[in-house]
Amino acid sequence: SVELTIDPAAQQAATDALAGVPGATGAAVAIDPATGDILALATTPTYDPNVFASHDTDAVIAAYDQMLADPSQPLQNRAIGGDLYFPGSVFKLVVTAAAIESGSYTPDSTFGNPAELNLTGTSTPIYNSTREACRGGEGDQVSLTNALIYSCNIPFAELGEQLGEDAIADQAAAFGYGESIDIPMAVTPSTYPDGLSPDQLQLTSFGQYDVRVTPLQVAMTTAAIANDGELMQPQLVDEVIDTETLDVLAEPAPQSMGQAVSESTAQTMQDLMV
């Protein structure tokens, strides 16, 4: 008998929220930062596994083939796999962490604050979501603090180009990108690209181009920041119990995947995120 780390109320809340958007595809994940225990892991659309428990083999195969052909792909667990997502602005946390960890930037570091910026070496413009200069700027500059608070793309494109591909890639790896993780189901590794041109590097700095993530990876990143920088191995199994004797056969202990950022960097980022 396997007992899970899932919190029923959290799982129900996640499932209800996803079901509240008709036709939506997506996922929701919640992690206990201190232990890595997965408290909610929901994906939509989903399916009823009872259809595979039939003794009618033809019916089971027909149901499976129907699900495989369904364009909404209900068999994909989007929380841990499938085609993965562009992280978008949540990747700014990784770039911010890389900046502060480098020792060359603080929350007060400033960046140019135009309303429009051509990607380096191109005539392709990028914008903030407001199509205006980042809020909270002073003159033609904006601080890292306000760039993160208002989630502005242009200052992060500038920051990412200054940091360089290696610094961002190393920080992403420290948060678990590229890792093959079992929870115990296999989790598709999230990826940060390599061999980037300056314009591609700028795009990755606000989570575009070829950055790809699972929602679990996004939750792991936030959880590590909340846990003073220590990244815990995510896990779904709380206990394995002998169904006859009720003896506990296995009780997985929390396992650290390492210090993703220093404690001081994590605490600075907690303040920025608040």
Side-chain angles (χ1 to χ4, degrees):
S1 177
V2 177
E3 294 195 359
L4 302 183
T5 59
I6 291 291
D7 179 282
Q11 182 72 13
Q12 190 67 58
T15 302
D16 290 347
L18 292 170
V21 185
T25 61
V29 181
I31 296 177
D32 182 333
T35 63
D37 285 354
I38 297 172
L39 306 178
L41 189 81
T43 181
T44 190
T46 186
Y47 63 93
D48 181 357
N50 288 312
V51 299
F52 297 127
S54 168
H55 293 291
D56 184 339
T57 303
D58 289 341
V60 169
I61 293 173
Y64 182 64
D65 287 343
Q66 182 180 12
M67 290 185 196
L68 282 178
D70 187 333
S72 71
Q73 298 179 302
L75 294 174
Q76 283 191 1
N77 186 336
R78 289 169 166 82
I80 62 171
D83 294 331
L84 306 194
Y85 293 90
F86 294 103
S89 289
V90 291
F91 193 73
K92 291 170 182 170
L93 293 176
V94 176
V95 177
T96 300
I100 297 173
E101 283 283 273
S102 74
S104 299
Y105 299 86
T106 72
D108 295 326
S109 296
T110 58
F111 305 90
N113 191 25
E116 176 182 325
L117 178 73
N118 283 346
L119 292 167
T120 298
T122 78
S123 57
T124 302
I126 57 171
Y127 306 91
N128 301 318
S129 61
T130 60
R131 295 281 174 141
E132 298 175 352
C134 190
R135 291 170 60 190
E138 295 185 8
D140 60 354
Q141 299 287 302
V142 65
S143 67
L144 178 57
T145 294
N146 283 324
L148 186 64
I149 287 172
Y150 298 111
S151 190
C152 298
N153 298 332
I154 289 174
F156 272 92
E158 298 173 58
L159 172 58
E161 187 174 19
Q162 292 173 23
L163 281 170
E165 175 185 323
D166 290 346
I168 299 174
D170 289 347
Q171 187 60 70
F175 279 120
Y177 284 68
E179 289 275 349
S180 295
I181 299 170
D182 296 316
I183 62 172
M185 301 99 78
V187 179
T188 303
S190 298
T191 60
Y192 183 79
D194 57 16
L196 300 171
S197 60
D199 57 311
Q200 293 166 346
L201 175 58
Q202 289 179 309
L203 287 171
T204 68
S205 302
F206 51 97
Q208 301 298 328
Y209 188 56
D210 277 349
V211 189
R212 295 290 189 280
V213 297
T214 60
L216 178 65
Q217 174 62 68
V218 177
M220 288 167 60
T221 300
T222 311
I225 295 168
N227 195 39
D228 289 339
E230 187 176 13
L231 177 66
M232 303 303 291
Q233 163 82 34
Q235 57 183 357
L236 268 173
V237 177
D238 187 36
E239 291 183 334
V240 180
I241 298 173
D242 187 300
T243 52
E244 294 184 3
T245 67
L246 301 184
D247 291 335
V248 176
L249 303 178
E251 189 174 7
Q255 294 188 16
S256 175
M257 294 179 64
Q259 198 74 19
V261 292
S262 69
E263 185 174 342
S264 63
T265 294
Q267 290 173 349
T268 296
M269 293 192 65
Q270 291 167 20
D271 292 341
L272 289 174
M273 290 173 73
V274 170

